[in-house]
């Protein structure tokens, strides 16, 4: 009776290991499992997805609109839509929050279509922590308002990249995954967004002025 | 607008340094307005979600969830990837294959007394079942017979003997198509090898008193079938041939049963040096085989198993082996016989059957194994056999002797022996007229 050599057996084992795909990342696999359960309307899984993403979605919405109460309502609408549409959601390579950001962007767009823009500064901008003179405070708030107004004048993609990059402090790769773009495209988009915002703010000199809290 | 970093890649690197990801660090003012704008956006404080708003939003979300269709089924808390199960199954299968492969040598070398032997038998049955035609069946059966022989040999090494293995080997070959074996030189050789091993095992087993002589006889006759097949002889019905049993006479061999020593010698003798040594003593290969085992083996039995070769007699000029002949491990030199040795010439030329030729030596007088020939007498020594004639006495039979030496044949020049008529003057002996001596010893 002939015996297969150990080298042949080892080669077969290596071939088998190469054919089979590797194990997924455990964190991604855990999130995917919650998504799958949420698709089956599992309350616990839905709650986990909510707690994981609610705060960043709210910040994104709050940075794009001026009313805190409206921001909360829009956030609720986002997660209501999440539970209503998650059955149709397909797990792909993109992060789950990318889908939530797209829902949030659509809610903000609808918000501005339904409601005329109203400058409401009282609820959004908190008071600075350091002690400031009242006059300085007023000037600070005017600068922040000006920045916000300038930001809202940008296209939605410009706003999203600036908020994800500099408010959420995400990397170029993470922003690319959320926005379903390449890293090169995100860098280019970032460059155009900052250029446009800088121009809206009055050019270089005005930018430095804003940072110092002074008026020229 | 002027910027030190107009290239998006350079700007991106500068921004990663000024405002690193996943960090709250805020840089001081820089000469680059774009970086300053980015810093301004980073400083744009965005309110955090209040706790009551957190609960309110969650409540609204679950309300919407409850308003939907109830869930169809509950998923397990952790769902494995389908590839995980396949991976585990593949690894388990590979481990099982490795385990079986590691057992293969043990199965192949297993003996009837060992646990894995039944696995070996099962595999052999499968091998036989897979054989489709006569030729492949014959190959499988002959191979299995060879395995039985090897197993019997392995058992013998452990001091055990099982007649069943011999019977099984014979049965395997008998089950095969004789034509398939006879038509294949490799199968015949394999069959011969199995027969050789089985015969050796039988003899050794008997020598070690592991089996009775009657059993050995019976099994040897069965093994003989294999031997015949290996030599191209179709199997014949068994017959009671007294010649085969008695070991004497010129009964013609059943077909070509080892008619000549040379083929059988090569067939049976070459593997063992002891066997080769005994071959020189005995003409038959069977005798050789017996000699290799022990001295106690009676050659008669083995001899009976090999048909007497008529041609062997012609080839070797050796007398027919008989029961009285005991083969030994060392060849014995031929023994001289005064009565029948034929000095000077071959015995056959002088009508003496089977005698040894004794070389002529002018000086000495060597006796041979002949059948009673004269061995010559020393000088002044009356020899025997020859008729001595006294001087002036016509002798008969040619026994020329010196006046003082009436000796017989084979005498030195000064002592002409009998058989010659070279008589001294006055002594007309009989026989030859010009004969200095007997058949031997000429000056």
């Amino acid at each position: 009776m002939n015996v297969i050599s150990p080298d042949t057996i080892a080669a077969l084992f290596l071939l088998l290991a190469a054919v089979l795909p590797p194990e997924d990342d455990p964190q991604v696999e855990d999130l995917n499992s919650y998504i799958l359960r949420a698709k089956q309307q599992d309350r616990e899984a839905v709650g986990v997805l909510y707690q994981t993403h609610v705060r960043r979605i709210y910040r994104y919405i709050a940075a794009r609109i001026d009313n805190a109460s409206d921001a909360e309502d829009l956030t609720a609408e986002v997660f209501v839509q999440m539970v209503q549409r998650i059955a149709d959601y397909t797990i792909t390579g993109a992060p789950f929050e990318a889908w939530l950001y797209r829902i949030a962007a659509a809610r903000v767009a609808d918000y501005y279509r339904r409601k005329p823009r109203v400058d409401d500064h009282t609820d959004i901008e908190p008071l600075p922590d350091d002690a400031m003179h009242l006059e300085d405070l007023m000037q600070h708030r005017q600068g922040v308002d000006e920045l916000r107004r300038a930001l809202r004048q940008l296209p939605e993609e410009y706003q999203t990249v600036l908020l994800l990059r500099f408010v959420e402090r995400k990397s170029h790769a993470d922003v690319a995954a959320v926005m379903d773009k390449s890293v090169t495209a995100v860098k280019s988009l970032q460059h155009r967004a900052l250029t446009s915002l800088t121009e809206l703010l009055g050019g270089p000199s005005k930018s430095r002025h804003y940072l110092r809290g002074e008026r020229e | 607008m002027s910027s030190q970093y107009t290239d998006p890649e350079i700007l991106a690197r500068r921004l990663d340094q000024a405002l690193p990801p996943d960090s709250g660090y805020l840089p001081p003012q820089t000469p680059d307005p774009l970086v300053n704008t980015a810093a301004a956006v980073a400083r744009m404080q965005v309110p955090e979600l209040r706790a009551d708003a957190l609960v309110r939003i969650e409540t609204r979300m679950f309300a919407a969830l409850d308003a939907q269709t109830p869930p169809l089924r509950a998923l397990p808390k952790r769902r494995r990837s389908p590839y995980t199960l396949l991976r585990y199954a593949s690894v388990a299968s590979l481990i099982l294959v490795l385990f079986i492969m590691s057992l293969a040598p043990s199965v192949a070398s297993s003996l009837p007394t060992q646990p894995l032997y039944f696995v070996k038998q099962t595999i052999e049955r499968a091998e036989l079942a897979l054989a489709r035609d006569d030729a492949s069946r014959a190959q499988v059966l002959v191979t299995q017979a060879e395995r039985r022989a090897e197993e019997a040999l392995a058992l013998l090494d452990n001091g055990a003997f099982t007649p069943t293995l011999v019977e099984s080997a014979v049965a395997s070959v008998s089950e095969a198509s004789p034509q398939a074996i006879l038509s294949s030189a490799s199968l015949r050789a394999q069959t011969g090898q199995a027969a050789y091993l089985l015969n050796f095992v039988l003899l050794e087993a008997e020598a070690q008193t592991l089996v009775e002589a009657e059993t050995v006889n019976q099994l040897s006759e069965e093994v003989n079938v294999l031997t015949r097949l290996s030599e191209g002889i179709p199997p014949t019905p068994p017959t009671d041939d007294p010649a085969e049993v008695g070991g004497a006479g010129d009964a013609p061999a059943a077909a070509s049963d080892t008619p000549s020593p040379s083929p059988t010698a090569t067939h049976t003798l070459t593997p063992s040096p002891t066997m080769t040594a005994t071959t020189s003593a005995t003409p038959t290969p069977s005798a050789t085989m017996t000699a290799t085992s022990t001295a106690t083996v009676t050659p008669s039995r083995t001899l009976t198993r090999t048909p007497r070769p008529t041609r062997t007699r012609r080839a070797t000029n050796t007398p027919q082996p008989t029961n009285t002949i005991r083969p030994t491990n060392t060849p014995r030199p031929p023994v001289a016989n005064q009565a029948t040795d034929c000095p000077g010439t071959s015995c056959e030329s002088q009508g003496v059957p089977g005698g040894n030729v004794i070389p002529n030596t002018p000086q000495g007088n060597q006796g041979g194994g002949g059948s009673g020939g004269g061995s010559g007498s020393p000088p002044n020594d009356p020899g025997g056999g020859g008729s001595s004639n006294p001087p002036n006495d016509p002798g008969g039979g040619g026994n020329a002797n010196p006046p003082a030496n009436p000796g017989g044949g084979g005498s030195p020049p000064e002592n002409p022996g009998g058989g010659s008529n070279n008589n001294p003057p006055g002594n007309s002996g009989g026989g030859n007229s010009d004969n200095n001596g007997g058949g031997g010893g000429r000056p």
Side-chain angles (χ1 to χ4, degrees), chain B residues 298-359:
Chain B
T298 53
S300 61
R301 183 176 305 112
T302 56
L303 290 174
T304 58
R305 287 185 177 77
T306 54
R308 276 153 319 286
T310 55
R311 279 184 276 160
T312 303
R313 188 185 307 156
R314 282 200 303 275
T316 59
N317 285 334
T318 53
Q320 192 71 25
T322 65
N323 291 339
T324 60
I325 295 178
R326 282 182 181 275
T328 61
N329 289 333
T330 57
R332 290 176 294 178
V335 177
N337 187 319
Q338 293 188 356
T340 58
D341 279 348
C342 308
T345 60
S346 67
C347 293
E348 286 191 353
S349 65
Q350 298 189 7
V352 178
N356 290 330
V357 175
I358 301 174

Side-chain angles (χ1 to χ4, degrees), chain B residues 15-245:
Chain B
L15 289 172
D16 281 340
Q17 294 174 358
L19 298 160
D22 300 322
S23 169
Y25 173 74
L26 294 173
Q29 266 193 342
T30 67
D32 190 333
L34 296 185
V35 174
N36 294 335
T37 301
V41 174
R43 285 194 176 89
M44 186 178 68
Q45 294 182 353
V46 180
E48 292 291 333
L49 187 62
R50 295 175 302 182
D52 61 331
L54 187 67
V55 174
R56 182 161 44 83
I57 295 171
E58 187 177 25
T59 304
R60 186 172 167 184
M61 179 189 68
F62 280 128
L65 180 66
D66 295 336
Q68 297 189 46
T69 309
L72 298 176
R73 64 180 179 89
L75 279 178
K77 293 219 170 180
R78 185 177 180 86
R79 183 164 177 264
R80 290 184 182 278
S81 165
Y83 285 113
T84 304
L85 294 177
L86 180 61
R87 189 179 297 110
Y88 288 154
S90 302
V91 171
S93 301
L94 199 60
I95 291 172
L96 184 61
V97 167
L98 288 172
F99 177 71
I100 293 173
M101 289 301 168
S102 66
L103 287 180
S106 303
V107 173
S109 62
S110 60
L111 298 177
T113 56
Q114 294 171 345
L116 290 177
Y117 192 70
F118 83 96
V119 178
K120 187 177 183 180
Q121 289 178 312
T122 305
I123 294 173
E124 288 185 350
R125 281 196 289 272
E127 286 177 344
L128 189 60
L130 290 174
R132 296 175 181 267
D133 54 8
D134 286 348
S136 54
R137 275 182 60 85
Q139 177 66 64
V140 172
L141 288 166
V142 169
T143 302
Q144 291 179 358
E146 202 174 4
R147 285 194 198 131
R148 301 290 89 78
E150 290 168 354
E151 289 166 7
L153 188 63
L155 276 180
L156 193 65
D157 290 341
N158 296 334
F161 175 75
T162 305
T164 308
L165 286 176
V166 179
E167 293 167 352
S168 177
V170 174
S172 290
V173 176
S174 302
E175 190 180 339
S177 164
Q179 290 305 319
I181 297 177
L182 293 172
S183 62
S184 169
S186 64
L187 284 181
R188 291 204 306 273
Q190 231 177 323
T191 305
Q193 177 66 15
Y196 165 75
L197 288 176
L198 290 171
N199 278 321
F200 180 81
V201 167
L202 288 172
L203 294 172
E204 269 295 318
E206 186 184 9
Q208 298 180 23
T209 63
L210 298 173
V211 63
E212 295 182 352
E214 289 76 14
T215 306
V216 172
N217 276 341
Q218 178 186 351
L219 294 175
S220 296
E221 290 189 4
E222 295 177 10
V223 173
N224 199 26
V225 174
L226 276 64
T227 306
R228 290 176 179 170
L229 273 176
S230 69
E231 293 166 357
I233 304 169
T236 57
T239 56
D240 294 332
D241 188 354
E244 244 185 332
V245 176

Side-chain angles (χ1 to χ4, degrees), chain A residues 184 187-191, chain B residues 5-13:
Chain A
T184 304
K187 292 177 180 176
S188 176
L189 190 66
Q190 168 184 262
H191 183 270
Chain B
Y5 308 101
T6 57
D7 184 83
E9 283 290 340
I10 299 175
L11 176 63
R13 282 197 296 270

Side-chain angles (χ1 to χ4, degrees), chain A residues 133-144:
Chain A
H133 193 269
L134 183 59
E135 183 177 354
D136 294 334
L137 179 61
M138 292 294 294
Q139 289 180 349
H140 174 73
R141 284 193 171 182
Q142 287 177 355
V144 171

Side-chain angles (χ1 to χ4, degrees), chain A residues 27-205:
Chain A
Q27 292 183 351
V28 174
E29 189 174 352
D30 289 340
L31 189 62
N32 288 341
S33 68
Y34 285 117
I35 295 172
L36 291 173
R37 289 168 57 194
K39 288 164 71 69
Q40 299 296 321
Q41 301 178 7
D42 185 293
R43 290 179 68 91
E44 181 186 0
V46 171
V48 169
L49 294 177
Y50 170 77
Q51 294 292 339
T52 303
H53 299 97
V54 64
R55 290 172 182 78
R56 66 188 71 175
I57 295 299
Y58 173 78
R59 284 198 298 271
Y60 173 76
I61 296 174
R64 293 192 60 190
I65 66 174
D66 298 328
N67 191 297
S69 175
D70 291 344
E72 293 171 0
D73 291 340
L74 291 181
T75 303
E77 288 182 17
V78 169
F79 284 94
V80 166
Q81 276 203 339
M82 182 192 78
V83 298
Q84 291 175 344
R85 294 164 56 180
I86 197 168
D88 299 328
Y89 175 79
T90 303
I91 296 176
T92 61
F96 181 72
E97 65 180 357
W99 183 55
L100 296 177
Y101 276 115
R102 286 198 294 273
I103 297 176
R107 297 296 94 217
V108 171
D110 289 343
Y111 171 81
Y112 282 114
R113 280 195 290 272
R114 291 195 308 265
K115 191 172 183 178
R117 292 181 183 182
V118 177
D119 292 335
D120 186 355
H121 318 292
T122 57
D123 297 330
I124 299 301
E125 184 63 28
L127 291 174
D129 294 336
D130 53 335
M132 292 178 64
H133 193 269
L134 183 59
E135 183 177 354
D136 294 334
L137 179 61
M138 292 294 294
Q139 289 180 349
H140 174 73
R141 284 193 171 182
Q142 287 177 355
V144 171
D145 292 343
E146 186 177 351
L147 179 61
R148 286 179 177 275
R149 280 194 293 271
L151 192 62
R152 283 199 299 272
Q153 295 179 29
L154 297 176
E156 178 186 326
E157 274 191 336
Y158 288 11
Q159 294 183 48
T160 300
V161 70
L162 293 176
L163 293 175
L164 291 178
R165 278 285 292 127
F166 306 115
V167 174
E168 296 297 324
R169 304 298 281 267
K170 288 185 179 295
S171 66
H172 292 101
D174 291 341
V175 174
V178 170
M179 298 184 68
D180 193 21
K181 292 181 180 297
S182 66
V183 174
T184 304
V186 167
K187 292 177 180 176
S188 176
L189 190 66
Q190 168 184 262
H191 183 270
R192 296 197 300 271
L194 286 174
T195 303
S196 300
L197 182 60
T198 304
E199 291 175 351
L200 289 173
L201 291 175
S205 59

